[in-house]
Amino acid sequence: MDIRTKITGIQHVGVPTDDIQKSILFYKGLGFEIVWQTINEQDGTPVVFLQLGNLIMEVYENKQASMKSGAIDHIALNVTDIGAVFSKIKELGYEMLDDNIRFLPFWEYGVRFFTIIGPNKEKIEFCEKQITAK
């Protein structure tokens, strides 16, 4: 399988914050609109997805933001077959942050994802929004 056939582009950019309301006001001031807002049930943190054109920012309040340049936590790539991409990434020997495909109840039907670590310790998330209830 050629992995490029399963990646359709950027899904979102993840940015941690110490003050989600301040971040929401900042991005709304730039023209972003809130498209999804929730609480991450795994750790109780507020999460908001803001969109401008084809760019989505996932901003989440974790009270651990580095507050310096390089503060973006991860870049998420949209994929069409998370299982096939997970298998191929493992086969290619990339450094995995997740041992399995994970699930979060974000968006209408949830999202399945996993994350790898790049050569500069950047996190790359592979993400597939579920389009129907499973």
Side-chain angles (χ1 to χ4, degrees), residues 56-99:
I56 297 176
M57 303 291 291
E58 174 193 15
V59 179
Y60 50 96
E61 187 175 283
N62 67 359
K63 304 292 186 188
Q64 298 174 7
S66 66
M67 306 306 285
K68 62 181 182 180
S69 183
I72 291 174
D73 178 65
H74 65 275
I75 298 170
L77 301 175
N78 196 55
V79 300
T80 58
D81 185 342
I82 194 75
V85 173
F86 183 80
S87 295
K88 185 65 173 181
I89 291 291
K90 281 187 83 165
E91 174 189 315
L92 293 171
Y94 284 93
E95 183 180 349
M96 307 290 289
L97 186 62
D98 298 307
D99 294 328

Side-chain angles (χ1 to χ4, degrees), residues 9-103:
I10 193 161
Q11 210 291 318
H12 66 265
V13 175
V15 178
T17 183
D18 289 343
D19 184 339
I20 199 160
Q21 291 306 317
K22 185 176 179 181
S23 294
I24 289 170
L25 289 173
F26 175 84
Y27 286 106
K28 285 179 86 173
L30 296 175
F32 283 76
E33 295 180 6
I34 294 173
V35 293
W36 186 261
Q37 195 164 6
T38 190
I39 298 293
N40 183 342
E41 294 173 0
Q42 293 179 350
D43 58 17
T45 57
V47 180
V48 63
F49 288 84
L50 299 121
Q51 184 170 5
L52 178 63
N54 64 351
L55 176 60
I56 297 176
M57 303 291 291
E58 174 193 15
V59 179
Y60 50 96
E61 187 175 283
N62 67 359
K63 304 292 186 188
Q64 298 174 7
S66 66
M67 306 306 285
K68 62 181 182 180
S69 183
I72 291 174
D73 178 65
H74 65 275
I75 298 170
L77 301 175
N78 196 55
V79 300
T80 58
D81 185 342
I82 194 75
V85 173
F86 183 80
S87 295
K88 185 65 173 181
I89 291 291
K90 281 187 83 165
E91 174 189 315
L92 293 171
Y94 284 93
E95 183 180 349
M96 307 290 289
L97 186 62
D98 298 307
D99 294 328
N100 298 298
I101 296 169
R102 299 171 57 197
F103 176 84

Side-chain angles (χ1 to χ4, degrees), residues 101-121:
I101 296 169
R102 299 171 57 197
F103 176 84
L104 281 170
F106 293 175
W107 306 103
E108 187 174 0
Y109 299 112
V111 61
R112 295 176 66 213
F113 68 98
F114 70 92
T115 307
I116 65 173
I117 302 294
N120 305 296
K121 302 301 180 200

